């Protein structure tokens, strides 16, 4: 009798934003279908634009609020 975890039981895969981001990068590089590559590339570009916009507007809004 063992109280430890069952070795045959699968462990859930870790998920999250980082995993999704890495999957997009891999899909752009290794997908066989060009439509999947284009979709993943556009999502990556949209993500980068979103981070850039937030990186500009959040400090701008904070500066205006503190004036």
């Amino acid at each position: 009798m063992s109280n430890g975890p069952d070795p045959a039981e699968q462990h859930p895969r870790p998920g999250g934003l980082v995993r999704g981001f890495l999957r997009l990068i891999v899909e752009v590089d290794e997908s066989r279908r060009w439509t999947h590559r284009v979709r993943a590339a556009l999502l990556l570009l949209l993500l980068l634009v979103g981070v850039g916009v937030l990186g500009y507007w959040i400090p701008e809004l904070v500066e205006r609020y503190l004036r």
Side-chain angles (χ1 to χ4, degrees):
M1 290 187 140
S2 174
N3 291 337
D6 185 11
E9 183 180 327
Q10 283 188 336
H11 297 286
R13 288 184 152 181
L17 294 174
V18 174
R19 181 173 172 84
F21 180 72
L22 292 175
R23 287 182 73 194
L24 281 176
I25 292 172
V26 169
E27 192 170 346
V28 168
D29 188 41
E30 295 184 357
S31 182
R32 291 184 180 163
R33 292 187 165 189
W34 68 271
T35 56
H36 290 210
R37 286 184 180 203
V38 170
R39 180 184 61 98
L42 289 175
L43 286 172
L44 278 173
L45 185 61
L46 183 63
L47 181 67
L48 290 173
V49 168
V51 168
V53 167
L54 287 177
Y56 175 78
W57 284 105
I58 289 177
E60 182 71 24
L61 292 173
V62 168
E63 183 180 341
R64 286 185 185 182
Y65 177 74
L66 293 177
R67 280 188 195 172

